[in-house]
Amino acid sequence: EIAPLEGGKTGGLARVATLRKDLQQEGKPNLALLAGDFLSPSLIGTLKKDGSRIAGAHMVDCMNAAGIDLVTFGNHEFDLSMASLQKRIDESNFEWISSNVLQNYEDGLKHRFYKMQDGQKNYVKDTYIWEIADKDGTLAKIGFFGVTLSTFPVDYVHYEDPFLEARKAYEHLQSQCNLVLGVTHLAREQDSLLALELPNVPLLMGGHDHENMKFKTGNCIVAKADANAKTAYIHRIRLNTSTGKADLQSDLIALNESVGLDPLTSERVAKWYKILDETIKQVYPNPNELIYRTAIPLEGREYKVRSEQTNLGQMVVKSMRKSVSVPVQGSFFNSGGIRIDDQLVGDVTSQDIFRVLPYGGEIFVVDIKGDLLQRVLEYSEANRGSGAYLQRDGFSFKDGKWYVGERVIDKNETYTIALNDFLLKGFDIPFLIDDPKLILKKIVPEKGSLAKDVRLGLIDYLKKGGE
């Protein structure tokens, strides 16, 4: 998110920019790094500007303004099409590194990603060397490698083994540099393993996990700040170039109201939020309306909603049942449609719901036979971890059998179900299509009804207390 959250109280790239400028006032060399997952997912990224999907352009614009220096790829960078990703790399003022991610070309070969500058291809390097000097002119070189985990692979991306490539990068850097550090987009357990494999790397600056953490494995500190710029880590390093010893101090900084908003970055943020507000108002008149308060985080993180029933997912499917015009025995929604990849806590606004469900979609009521219903639910379970996993209401699995309410599904019985239009198009669950042989009856939502847009139904449900 480029803007502050929780009513402006926390986060925002304008606070990142202020923090960076404050550190520059100390008069010591500094570098601003981001360890992936910034181009996607976001609500603004799903919108169109001048006929084209924004697809992370707002992030690059604001990161340029904030003064980010160095990034590596996160797995969500590859949510974008290759053409959109290329545009974002070309627009960026910061450096990209990756030691293990390559681009698959149509010729079958694998090449490095690149940035087009002045008609030239500048290839993304596997390492980055930062040359600095202290006040008396003593020079030092700090080397960085960057690695990314492979999840939900796409055709244009090839992943090399992150552990093997990190070791290669370290061996390449250690002969040239006074110090080598890692910028990693790995899961916590993978960072721990990498730390053990590279005992002479004192710090891995990580991403992927959404909550801040700092832990030591072997000789290495692994540190990750919170998602959405709610916090930032400041790593201060005192390097003895004669002995090679590096003293490290890592401080987690809360980017809250105590940190001012940089004017230039705020101006860029406001530009994109004007586009967002104008677009949302075409669907809902008050994007910033407070609709719900919760002390319990509403779970929308991707790895959770794609593998288990979450409280946020339950709110989506329960609201669907209340939005349709007739009673239904159950409802389901593909978890891949929940795109916030974050938790909601505290004040929840209508805009937050658009963040949760940026693609919207109609809610249909259908009559289907029990054999198809059971097949759908079994397919969902077999696809835990993917977007085809269903958030569901009214269904349960006990003693090796699927139930609707308190009764075992009868393969010959007809059931009335609410589901989103995306599923009826055969996406995620390819055999669940709008075919008269499968869909015995379909009720299309009326114009102006809550069922015309799943987001409107969820907003109404939360305004009534989520009951």
Side-chain angles (χ1 to χ4, degrees), residues 32 34 38 68-72 92-97 115 117 122-125 127-128:
L34 205 164
F38 49 90
I68 302 299
D69 296 302
L70 183 66
V71 304
T72 196
S92 64
N93 295 338
F94 39 85
E95 294 289 332
W96 299 67
I97 59 167
K115 181 189 293 188
Q117 290 180 304
N122 292 320
Y123 287 93
V124 170
K125 296 179 180 178
T127 59
Y128 177 81

Side-chain angles (χ1 to χ4, degrees), residues 55 69-70 97 128 173 206 224 279 322 368 384 392 398 425 432 442 450 452 458 463:
D69 296 302
L70 183 66
I97 59 167
Y128 177 81
L173 288 168
K224 310 189 186 199
T279 305
K322 292 182 177 294
I368 61 175
R384 280 181 181 265
R392 57 183 188 265
K398 297 178 288 188
K425 294 174 183 175
L432 183 61
K442 182 175 75 171
L450 293 175
K452 285 296 287 184
L458 181 54
K463 287 174 71 173

Side-chain angles (χ1 to χ4, degrees), residues 11-69:
L13 281 173
R15 288 193 170 107
V16 175
T18 296
L19 178 61
R20 184 175 184 275
K21 288 179 178 179
D22 289 346
L23 290 170
Q24 287 176 323
Q25 295 301 311
E26 295 181 5
K28 298 168 186 172
N30 67 67
L31 199 70
L33 304 97
L34 205 164
D37 276 3
F38 49 90
L39 295 182
S40 174
S42 71
L43 173 58
I44 296 177
T46 66
L47 308 179
K48 287 187 176 181
K49 181 177 181 289
D50 301 327
S52 298
R53 195 77 67 186
I54 289 172
H58 63 302
M59 289 298 306
V60 172
D61 185 34
C62 295
M63 287 167 64
N64 285 343
I68 302 299
D69 296 302

Side-chain angles (χ1 to χ4, degrees), residues 4-6 8-12 15 229-232 253-261:
L5 301 172
E6 298 176 19
K9 297 176 183 177
T10 184
R15 288 193 170 107
K230 294 176 182 176
T231 60
I253 304 299
L255 294 176
N256 54 29
E257 291 175 294
S258 68
V259 180
L261 297 169

Side-chain angles (χ1 to χ4, degrees), residues 44 67 168 207 265 270 359:
I44 296 177
K168 287 181 182 178
T265 310
Y359 299 114

